[in-house]
């Protein structure tokens, strides 16, 4: 999205300016991503495969303001078709981009990115529609919220008359051509949480997702001095107080989600550098913008304190890039997440591959993004990736996306189970009614048991009886089919003598015991 690109633009230009990589650095990076043996690789049963669908500035959906209801719906369905085509299992959809709403909120007005007029009813419930259609395809829906951004312009009078920023002008501050809620005011923090939880509690979402924006800057140009004077007693400086405010937002959001909907995943996608080693010995071997200092976001601390279900750092740099090398940041983040119970997913810069504005030759290499996923295999703490953004997954400039998909998504994958939910009640074991040869392949029919209506059915095919550990990975997983009380699916590659098994999957991605096998005769 333009705002993310702006945040990273300085770093990207600096990298381009210090252009010529030293041979030793290039060799080390090549060794890093070549380390994982493709032949020895076992496709995982569970792997986050997501994409961001951005609404701010009409980046992805809807593509422009004022589309008809049917046009907006058709565009969204096309994004879901793309997700299925790219073999993804999750979408992260921005539904509160600028203190507004893609649902009939009682807290904030309808988003003007829908109709062109803030507060105007679009004629349907976009969030309700999106969640329902996403689940029909067996995809998980993560609702993406920007916590503090109010407007992409600085004139409060242009906000809807009933907007909280008009009713409480002391809540908002201008900076950098935008308006923001003031994170240092307790009433603002509670209001933002209330507005977000309205969607969490009313809709059947799978995840609550924040992006990388908290405080907009570390400078005094963001004038929250009055709030600091009122609430900052006991803090050594403005920066410490600001970090405390963001910490409260993160920790309190966790508490509220756990209390209201414990199976909803709560996570954040921060900018990729917490702190540089030159600033802090615990930091990464980088020289870029630091979220801890610049945005007052202690991303490493959130993971270490267990405040998130997952973290998805935006590692939008190529392998070997100075001053922020993907192959150095991946092991650093893996070390941060290791042993914490916080899942680690990597934000991938699909928008840079093949972009003419990117001068580095690495971004002209169709295999660069695939190399990122290969490098990830050497770090078991990483359980998947999220791609930014949907337009770029569709454009597939220079074939970089299809290369990564063909190299790494050869088998279907379930989304990961949150460690805190892994011990919950698993779905009942389904019944495999039959697996019969038909003209188009082998038709498999499975039926749920008990009161379960599985979210998905995972279908496995083996050349003979399944080994005891045959369901622990995806080597024999041939399909993940959206759930219902029963499912019928045809395997075009099935043949006589194959053995089929079916596993039920619930919304938390927990799996049942496999059904009895059925041999095709």
């Amino acid at each position: 999205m333009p705002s993310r690109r702006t945040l990273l633009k300085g770093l990207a230009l600096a990298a381009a300016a210090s252009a010529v990589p030293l041979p030793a650095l290039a060799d080390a990076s090549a060794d890093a991503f070549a380390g994982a043996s493709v032949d020895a690789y076992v496709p995982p049963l569970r792997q986050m495969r997501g994409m961001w669908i951005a609404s701010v500035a009409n980046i992805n959906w809807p593509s422009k303001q004022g589309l008809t209801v049917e046009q907006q719906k058709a565009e969204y369905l096309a994004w879901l078709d793309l997700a299925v085509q790219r073999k993804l299992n999750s979408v992260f959809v921005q539904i509160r981009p600028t203190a507004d709403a893609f649902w009939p909120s009682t807290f904030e007005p309808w988003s003007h990115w829908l109709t062109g007029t803030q507060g105007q009813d679009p004629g349907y419930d976009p969030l309700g529609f999106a969640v329902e259609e996403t689940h029909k395809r067996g995809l998980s829906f993560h609702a993406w919220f920007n916590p503090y951004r109010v407007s992409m312009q600085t004139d409060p009078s242009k906000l809807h008359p009933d907007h909280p920023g008009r009713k409480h002008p002391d809540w908002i501050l201008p900076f950098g051509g935008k308006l923001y809620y003031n994170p240092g005011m307790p009433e603002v923090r509670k209001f933002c949480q209330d507005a977000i939880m309205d969607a969490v509690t009313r809709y059947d979402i799978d995840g609550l997702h924040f992006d990388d924006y908290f405080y907009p800057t570390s400078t005094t140009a963001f004038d929250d001095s009055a709030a600091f004077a009122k609430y900052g007693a006991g803090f050594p400086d403005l920066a410490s107080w600001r970090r405390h405010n963001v910490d409260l937002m993160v920790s309190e959001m966790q508490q509220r989600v756990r209390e209201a909907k414990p199976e909803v995943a709560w996570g954040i996608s921060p900018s990729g550098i917490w702190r540089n080693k030159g600033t802090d010995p615990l930091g990464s071997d980088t020289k870029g913008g630091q979220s801890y200092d610049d945005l007052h976001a202690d991303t490493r601390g959130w993971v270490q304190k267990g405040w998130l279900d997952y973290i998805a750092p935006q590692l939008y740099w190529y392998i070997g890039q100075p001053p922020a090398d993907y192959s150095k940041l991946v092991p650093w983040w893996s070390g941060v997440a290791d042993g914490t119970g916080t899942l680690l997913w990597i934000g991938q810069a699909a928008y840079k591959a093949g972009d003419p504005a990117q001068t580095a030759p690495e971004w002209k290499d169709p295999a660069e993004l695939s190399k990122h996923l290969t490098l990830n295999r050497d770090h078991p703490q990483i359980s998947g990736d999220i791609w930014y953004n949907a337009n770029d997954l569709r454009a597939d400039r220079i074939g970089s996306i299809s290369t990564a998909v063909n190299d790494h998504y050869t088998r279907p994958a379930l989304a990961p189970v949150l460690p805190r939910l892994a011990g919950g009640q698993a779905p009942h074991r389904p019944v495999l009614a039959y697996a019969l040869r038909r003209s188009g392949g082998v038709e498999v029919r499975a039926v749920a048991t008990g009161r379960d209506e599985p979210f998905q059915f995972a279908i496995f095919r083996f050349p003979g009886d399944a080994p005891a550990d045959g369901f622990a990975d995806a080597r024999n997983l041939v399909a993940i089919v959206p759930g219902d009380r029963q499912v019928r699916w045809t395997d075009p590659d099935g043949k006589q003598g194959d053995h089929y098994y079916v596993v039920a999957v619930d919304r938390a991605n927990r799996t049942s015991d496999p059904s009895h096998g059925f041999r095709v005769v």
Side-chain angles (χ1 to χ4, degrees):
M1 59 202 280
S3 43
R4 288 190 186 203
R5 296 186 193 205
T6 300
L7 182 68
L8 299 170
K9 184 177 180 182
L11 180 54
L13 291 175
S18 56
V20 190
L22 297 173
L25 178 60
D27 291 343
S29 300
D31 289 343
F33 72 74
S37 168
V38 174
D39 292 337
Y41 178 66
V42 176
L45 178 64
R46 307 177 188 282
Q47 182 179 54
M48 170 50 63
R49 299 177 184 176
M51 73 175 178
W52 279 291
I53 300 176
S55 61
V56 68
N58 298 109
I59 292 173
N60 298 138
W61 177 69
S63 63
K64 59 183 178 181
Q65 300 162 33
L67 296 177
T68 67
V69 171
E70 293 310 312
Q71 287 172 328
Q72 288 189 15
K73 288 183 175 181
E75 282 194 352
Y76 187 76
L77 295 180
W79 288 125
L80 296 182
D81 290 343
L82 177 70
V84 171
Q85 177 192 355
R86 297 299 190 207
K87 301 181 181 179
L88 308 183
N89 53 34
S90 305
V91 292
F92 293 73
V93 184
Q94 192 175 33
I95 61 166
R96 183 184 177 265
T98 46
D100 49 17
F102 272 52
W103 74 97
S105 170
T106 58
F107 294 89
E108 292 170 319
W110 282 108
S111 176
H112 82 281
W113 305 115
L114 291 165
T115 63
T117 302
Q118 191 171 70
Q120 180 177 327
D121 190 329
Y124 75 117
D125 182 347
L127 177 55
F129 169 79
V131 170
E132 181 179 0
E133 293 298 327
T134 301
H135 288 161
K136 282 181 182 178
R137 287 155 180 78
L139 302 169
S140 296
F141 186 96
H142 293 255
W144 166 15
F145 302 83
N146 186 283
Y148 295 123
R149 184 172 57 208
V150 171
S151 178
M152 302 294 280
Q153 54 82 41
T154 57
D155 184 356
S157 70
K158 292 182 179 180
L159 299 174
H160 188 274
D162 292 330
H163 193 287
R166 292 283 295 276
K167 293 182 174 180
H168 304 277
D170 56 319
W171 285 11
I172 58 176
L173 291 171
F175 177 79
K178 301 179 180 67
L179 291 172
Y180 294 87
Y181 283 133
N182 186 344
M185 301 178 69
E187 59 268 45
V188 167
R189 187 174 71 249
K190 181 181 184 302
F191 172 82
C192 290
Q193 292 172 4
D194 289 344
I196 290 165
M197 289 303 297
D198 181 59
V200 173
T201 55
R202 289 169 54 193
Y203 293 86
D204 194 19
I205 66 173
D206 301 291
L208 163 59
H209 181 79
F210 278 7
D211 56 20
D212 50 328
Y213 294 108
F214 295 95
Y215 276 90
T217 179
S218 60
T219 72
T220 55
F222 186 74
D223 188 10
D224 56 351
S225 55
F228 181 48
K230 185 174 182 179
Y231 300 109
F235 290 91
D237 51 42
L238 178 68
S240 299
W241 173 71
R242 285 178 172 177
R243 270 190 296 276
H244 172 71
N245 295 330
V246 179
D247 280 354
L248 286 175
M249 171 62 94
V250 173
S251 61
E252 289 171 0
M253 284 304 320
Q254 180 199 50
Q255 293 168 18
R256 295 191 64 169
V257 172
R258 295 273 179 97
E259 290 171 3
K261 278 193 172 179
E263 292 199 351
V264 166
W266 155 234
I268 294 176
S269 175
S271 53
I273 298 173
W274 170 70
R275 300 191 95 184
N276 300 307
K277 186 182 290 186
T279 304
D280 188 321
L282 295 175
S284 52
D285 186 11
T286 51
K287 294 180 180 178
Q290 306 172 110
S291 64
Y292 182 92
D293 303 273
D294 301 339
L295 304 178
H296 303 100
D298 184 10
T299 54
R300 178 182 179 274
W302 304 339
V303 174
Q304 297 288 314
K305 294 169 185 174
W307 290 348
L308 301 172
D309 289 320
Y310 69 86
I311 194 161
Q314 299 168 26
L315 302 192
Y316 292 167
W317 302 283
Y318 59 78
I319 293 172
Q321 178 170 344
D325 183 345
Y326 183 90
S327 67
K328 292 181 178 179
L329 281 160
V330 160
W332 186 86
W333 277 104
S334 298
V336 169
D338 190 42
T340 63
T342 303
L343 298 177
L344 174 60
W345 305 332
I346 304 299
Q348 297 290 349
Y351 73 93
K352 286 188 175 180
D355 181 353
Q358 300 296 324
T359 58
E362 287 81 359
W363 291 123
K364 303 181 190 307
D365 178 3
E368 175 65 25
L369 292 173
S370 180
K371 292 174 183 177
H372 291 196
L373 272 61
T374 301
L375 189 153
N376 291 358
R377 293 176 178 178
D378 284 338
H379 300 277
Q381 300 88 349
I382 298 173
S383 55
D385 302 87
I386 314 173
W387 301 87
Y388 187 79
N389 67 59
N391 285 338
D392 305 289
L393 264 70
R394 175 178 286 165
D396 194 20
R397 293 178 299 271
I398 68 174
S400 59
I401 303 304
S402 53
T403 297
V405 168
N406 293 336
D407 288 350
H408 297 276
Y409 296 169
T410 56
R411 291 289 184 186
L414 301 172
V417 178
L418 302 182
R420 63 181 174 84
L421 299 179
Q425 180 65 49
H428 288 89
R429 181 186 195 188
V431 171
L432 176 52
Y434 60 73
L436 301 174
R437 283 189 291 166
R438 306 293 194 201
S439 59
V442 171
E443 182 179 278
V444 178
R445 179 171 177 262
V447 181
T449 59
R451 295 184 177 180
D452 287 343
E453 185 170 312
F455 179 50
Q456 299 165 325
F457 288 96
I459 302 175
F460 292 79
R461 182 186 69 224
F462 296 85
D465 289 333
D469 62 350
F471 303 95
D473 57 59
R475 281 176 290 188
N476 295 96
L477 178 63
V478 292
I480 298 171
V481 184
D484 204 337
R485 291 298 306 169
Q486 61 178 307
V487 66
R488 243 187 220 94
W489 176 78
T490 298
D491 181 1
D493 299 319
K495 60 186 183 299
Q496 185 176 1
D498 286 340
H499 290 236
Y500 285 85
Y501 298 79
V502 177
V503 169
V505 185
D506 69 10
R507 285 282 298 284
N509 303 305
R510 293 177 293 237
T511 51
S512 71
D513 290 334
S515 69
H516 289 294
F518 200 107
R519 180 177 181 273
V520 180
V521 295

